[in-house]
Amino acid sequence: MDGWRLRVVSVLICVYLLAGSAAKAQLAPAATKPFDLINWNGGKFIYGADYYPEAWPESLWEKDAIMMQEAGINFVRMGEFAWVKMEPQEGHFDFAWLDRALKVLNAHGIKAVLGTPTASPPAWLYAKYPDIAVMDANGVRYRYGSRRNYCLHNQEFRAATARIVSAMAKHYKDHPGVIGWQIDNELSDPKCYDPVSQAAFQAWCQRKYHTLDALNAAWGTIFWGHTYESWQEIPLPWNTLFNTYNPSLVLDFDRFQSDSTHDYLDFQTTILRKIAPHQAITENEMGMFQETNWYDLNRSLDFVAWDNYPMMYKDLTQYSVAGLAHDVMRGSKDNQNYMMMEEEGGVGGWATFIGHQSPAALYRVWDYQSVAHGADGICYFRWRTSRYGTEQYWEGILDQDSYRNSRYFMVQQTGKELQQLTPLLHGSSIVSPVALLNSPDSRWALQNQPGVDDFQYDQQLQDYYDAFRRGGVNVDVAFPPSDLSAYRIVVAPALYVSDQALVDKLNAYVMNGGTLILTFRSGVKDEHNVVTDRTLPGPFAGLAGVAIHEFDPQLNEEQEIVGLGETLFPTRCWSDILEPTTAKVLATYGKGYYAGNPALTENEVGKGRVYYVGTESKSPLFYDRLIALAARKSLVALNNKIPAGVEVSVRQRGGKKIIFVMNYTGTAQTVPLEQAYKNALTDKTEPMEVQIPAYDVKVLTE
Ligand code: GAL
């Protein structure tokens, strides 16, 4: 690096060091009292649509507002891509059009959350500051176009952000029709690999490790002689020969990216809280797309909101894929209720459609699924399909012709029902006997080094999640800082990276009577993504009562295991060959040179027990059997009569249950429950064997 560049980089490092510590000091403390979304919306269930008045003739706005009101809509999200319309030239603002749109909507009882428009900076900003755009791992800067093309570490972009966010906040801070803010749009990647980002990463490393000796030791930079003698030598995981990277550096880079995203969010929330302290702040997040650590990020928000598109799932009766994403989002703010900022309003795609069109009735079932998992508000993406741009195929409730189609009437019906149910729902929340541990560090580390090509961290979560859901059991998703003590069962799949605090927490949990399920690739790495020198499963070996001296990555081969009722289950992906130290064997491998060796064990330890699952099964029955065993021992009741494609999910208020029975299939179903309940919408008592038509929902109360 030449002299002037080095000086610039050093200055930037200082700025970033200061900025970083300042940002940390400004972090909002975790909310103690859950945010009440229904009170926030004046006692009404939030029911809305994402609306883009800037893209439609003003003469249409009144008609839109009337149609919205008739559909029961009382909320819109607006503005998140309208930066150029609000600031057509640097420092010149125009909010008159948005004022007029708000006036029309407010007159029809519709309130708004405004999106800060930073996901789509104006062309003039790129023309003036081309380095705002992201540089890819090859050192090539993307050119203008698309969206989310900004470098989180670029100071000109920060300045432009401060200007537009402050101007919006000042203009709308006392507006009675604006109840809150959405920061940006789906904050997350892309990662930027430019010199400014490199300097920011180096500063982040300096804050974390303090000395180069500590960093070199933590990352094991002695390997291939990659020891750093100065902070400025630390690279990014950009394109290297043979695409080789130090996994410790890569994991820290992922954490850095997540922290930078958080820092950028805080940069905006700090401005908004200062200028507009009475308006709530959220962000539209992305469920299973977890490039950002949602748990960290959400410390800075009043409540969680997220974007749900179940059409992306191949089989629409696979309700639990969306179910898991809902529970990840709820878990990311300690199980507080949340809202949907983009609930699927129609089939979608960009160049090609990515899903099948669903019957309108099924959209209603997904709405209820959101509510059943803790949503106290639903806002559809989008009011009307765009006539322009990349998303001409991404359907809103209405199509471009504004015709009152079947989805519109579905929205109307659902809205009416949700308002009727609001007194019952208000103040209720989700209580689950089971938690699934979602470890951002393990996820990121395994993305970089999956071990076998088809290893999917999400699949590990999903397999166990699905088994509990088939049994009608609510599941919370915990993150490493979550309190686990109240759960009867904790499943921690592929806990590849863990620190001592997490090991201690799981130890205490089991010793105090908890049931823990651990799976293959657990305890492999320390918090620096360095492989343990202890016998696997490393820090969990004592708890699990097993030692692993040999494993078999299943490269396109398939195994099988025998056990849990002497059944044969096909397995795949990985085989840990277990040697019990104190555990008892529940299943053994069926094939190959290690046939007969243990694959699944149970260890009674302290007041609790640990199951260690050495492989992944292709058979849902395997998970059902294992979960049934763990549930029996942990006194968790399962309902094994729920038909496939039907979900039973429960909210609770004051110990009383609100049961949602949701049929995602195209045929009528019978769902036996443990007692007869009252239908909350009709007030009539339902039989114990609940009859539920195709694509329909019943909400039951005690
Ligand atoms: C979301 C995004 C929306 C819209 C939608 C459909 O991820 O937040 O702005 O783009 O997808 O593509």
Side-chain angles (χ1 to χ4, degrees):
M1 199 179 297
D2 55 38
W4 72 266
R5 280 189 132 214
L6 201 63
R7 273 198 300 281
V8 170
V9 164
S10 310
V11 169
L12 285 170
I13 288 178
C14 292
V15 168
Y16 198 75
L17 277 168
L18 290 169
S21 44
K24 289 273 176 289
Q26 286 157 3
L27 274 190
T32 43
K33 206 163 146 260
F35 186 87
D36 188 326
L37 281 135
I38 291 171
N39 278 351
W40 177 60
N41 195 38
K44 287 191 206 139
F45 191 91
I46 298 162
Y47 201 59
D50 300 318
Y51 187 45
Y52 301 91
E54 68 273 23
W56 299 94
E58 205 159 329
S59 55
L60 205 59
W61 295 356
E62 176 72 19
K63 188 180 163 216
D64 280 342
I66 293 170
M67 275 179 84
M68 286 183 189
Q69 192 174 21
E70 284 172 7
I73 282 175
N74 57 43
F75 174 97
V76 286
R77 178 200 63 186
M78 296 196 295
E80 81 277 11
F81 299 120
W83 189 340
V84 73
K85 188 92 178 141
M86 291 186 268
E87 191 183 359
Q89 287 167 32
E90 190 165 357
H92 295 278
F93 299 100
D94 175 9
F95 296 114
W97 65 274
L98 188 52
D99 294 348
R100 292 196 299 278
L102 278 163
K103 195 165 171 205
V104 172
L105 293 160
N106 293 167
H108 291 274
I110 299 164
K111 305 233 166 183
V113 151
L114 298 181
T116 65
T118 46
S120 206
W124 57 255
L125 197 66
Y126 289 93
K128 185 157 181 195
Y129 307 109
D131 287 0
I132 281 176
V134 165
M135 182 176 280
D136 73 9
N138 294 307
V140 177
R141 242 184 239 287
Y142 288 104
R143 282 187 273 190
Y144 175 69
S146 195
R147 62 175 176 183
R148 300 213 47 68
N149 177 19
Y150 61 79
C151 180
L152 284 165
H153 310 109
N154 181 285
Q155 293 308 313
E156 277 84 28
F157 186 60
R158 290 272 173 140
T161 297
R163 197 172 52 233
I164 183 68
V165 173
S166 307
M168 283 182 86
K170 281 182 194 148
H171 193 83
Y172 289 109
K173 68 184 164 65
D174 297 319
H175 195 297
V178 175
I179 56 176
W181 299 92
Q182 170 190 295
I183 305 289
D184 200 278
N185 189 80
E186 296 188 334
L187 272 177
S188 200
D189 274 350
K191 296 182 169 85
C192 182
Y193 295 82
D194 72 0
V196 175
S197 301
Q198 187 187 7
F201 179 56
Q202 291 162 346
W204 183 94
C205 291
Q206 201 167 350
R207 285 201 298 278
K208 177 167 177 175
Y209 292 102
H210 305 293
T211 68
L212 274 173
D213 284 350
L215 177 139
N216 281 319
W219 288 5
T221 55
I222 194 61
F223 183 79
W224 283 353
H226 286 173
T227 301
Y228 306 112
E229 300 295 338
S230 104
W231 295 102
Q232 284 74 39
E233 290 168 8
I234 297 173
L236 300 182
W238 45 40
N239 248 9
T240 64
L241 187 63
F242 310 129
N243 284 330
T244 58
Y245 308 99
N246 180 341
S248 304
L249 180 151
V250 177
L251 179 57
D252 267 342
F253 185 65
D254 286 338
R255 289 166 170 153
F256 157 75
Q257 173 73 15
S258 181
D259 283 359
S260 293
T261 305
H262 190 174
D263 191 53
Y264 181 61
L265 176 120
D266 278 341
F267 183 71
Q268 296 205 20
T269 58
T270 305
I271 295 171
L272 290 173
R273 289 218 161 89
K274 200 161 157 209
I275 302 174
H278 306 299
Q279 290 163 333
I281 306 179
T282 190
E283 205 259 316
N284 57 333
E285 295 173 0
M286 291 180 289
M288 300 309 287
F289 295 92
Q290 298 186 59
E291 299 309 312
T292 301
N293 182 331
W294 300 136
Y295 191 91
D296 277 358
L297 192 78
N298 292 336
R299 302 311 92 196
S300 299
L301 300 176
D302 290 303
F303 61 89
V304 168
W306 82 280
D307 302 345
N308 181 32
Y309 292 99
M311 74 178 136
M312 292 189 184
Y313 314 133
K314 262 196 208 127
D315 173 357
L316 295 180
T317 65
Q318 278 298 318
Y319 62 85
S320 62
V321 185
L324 175 56
H326 278 294
D327 296 344
V328 164
M329 296 294 9
R330 193 183 66 249
S332 70
K333 201 158 174 63
D334 300 314
N335 287 311
Q336 287 184 35
N337 290 2
Y338 55 92
M339 73 168 282
M340 309 311 303
M341 199 57 96
E342 295 182 16
E343 183 77 286
E344 182 179 319
V347 69
W350 283 6
T352 55
F353 286 94
I354 57 171
H356 297 287
Q357 185 61 274
S358 305
L362 189 52
Y363 290 100
R364 174 170 164 265
V365 184
W366 284 322
D367 292 341
Y368 273 96
Q369 182 185 40
S370 302
V371 177
H373 286 252
D376 278 348
I378 290 180
C379 179
Y380 295 95
F381 186 83
R382 51 191 275 161
W383 169 243
R384 185 174 33 232
T385 319
S386 177
R387 291 184 60 205
Y388 316 116
T390 305
E391 295 190 358
Q392 292 169 328
Y393 289 174
W394 203 292
E395 278 185 354
I397 302 166
L398 303 178
D399 290 319
Q400 287 89 343
D401 63 357
S402 305
Y403 175 72
R404 285 181 167 78
N405 58 24
S406 59
R407 297 193 301 281
Y408 176 83
F409 290 112
M410 174 282 301
V411 167
Q412 190 172 49
Q413 180 195 345
T414 311
K416 213 161 143 207
E417 291 170 0
L418 289 172
Q419 298 307 341
Q420 188 189 333
L421 291 170
T422 299
L424 176 71
L425 294 172
H426 196 177
S428 67
S429 58
I430 311 293
V431 180
S432 309
V434 175
L436 195 59
L437 186 65
N438 175 53
S439 154
D441 282 347
S442 297
R443 163 187 300 277
W444 295 333
L446 282 161
Q447 258 163 23
N448 180 41
Q449 287 183 295
V452 288
D453 280 343
D454 60 353
F455 174 90
Q456 297 278 345
Y457 182 75
D458 284 347
Q459 190 60 45
Q460 313 303 312
L461 299 177
Q462 195 77 56
D463 285 340
Y464 291 87
Y465 181 84
D466 288 357
F468 284 108
R469 297 298 340 183
R470 281 193 290 273
V473 174
N474 278 8
V475 178
D476 283 350
V477 172
F479 286 69
S482 309
D483 181 5
L484 301 176
S485 57
Y487 297 108
R488 292 179 183 237
I489 302 176
V490 171
V491 190
L495 196 51
Y496 186 64
V497 173
S498 53
D499 61 12
Q500 197 54 44
L502 186 55
V503 171
D504 292 345
K505 184 185 279 195
L506 291 173
N507 233 342
Y509 168 73
V510 175
M511 292 304 160
N512 290 325
T515 294
L516 174 66
I517 300 179
L518 291 172
T519 78
F520 64 101
R521 307 313 278 147
S522 288
V524 178
K525 304 268 196 126
D526 70 9
E527 74 267 33
H528 299 300
N529 209 6
V530 164
V531 179
T532 179
D533 56 3
R534 296 161 68 174
T535 296
L536 292 177
F540 304 116
L543 216 48
V546 294
I548 299 161
H549 297 294
E550 218 169 309
F551 51 70
D552 182 13
Q554 298 277 305
L555 308 174
N556 304 319
E557 288 167 40
E558 291 184 354
Q559 248 294 359
E560 59 190 31
I561 58 173
V562 186
L564 294 178
E566 288 312 306
T567 312
L568 197 126
F569 301 102
T571 63
R572 60 183 287 285
C573 196
W574 191 271
S575 306
D576 273 339
I577 303 164
L578 307 179
E579 278 186 34
T581 47
T582 54
K584 116 180 159 208
V585 178
L586 298 181
T588 53
Y589 290 103
K591 280 194 200 166
Y593 77 93
Y594 50 93
N597 280 276
L600 168 68
T601 55
E602 177 182 12
N603 194 35
E604 299 282 344
V605 52
K607 293 187 196 147
R609 66 194 57 77
V610 178
Y611 295 91
Y612 188 95
V613 189
T615 185
E616 178 182 326
S617 181
K618 294 199 289 187
S619 154
L621 184 64
F622 168 76
Y623 296 98
D624 288 345
R625 289 268 174 90
L626 174 62
I627 266 32
L629 180 66
R632 200 163 61 241
K633 297 218 171 166
S634 321
L635 307 178
V636 172
L638 296 172
N639 178 352
N640 56 18
K641 300 223 175 77
I642 301 173
V646 173
E647 177 180 5
V648 178
S649 213
V650 181
R651 284 175 71 141
Q652 283 193 27
R653 196 178 65 173
K656 288 222 170 1
K657 289 183 189 166
I658 308 165
I659 303 171
F660 296 78
V661 186
M662 294 159 284
N663 182 3
Y664 301 86
T665 74
T667 46
Q669 304 281 352
T670 303
V671 189
L673 297 180
E674 68 285 1
Q675 64 171 77
Y677 292 97
K678 206 176 71 181
N679 186 315
L681 282 169
T682 63
D683 226 22
K684 293 197 181 119
T685 303
E686 294 278 340
M688 260 174 78
E689 307 243 310
V690 179
Q691 305 298 314
I692 180 147
Y695 305 127
D696 208 346
V697 178
K698 285 195 173 165
V699 182
L700 309 171
T701 54
E702 291 186 279

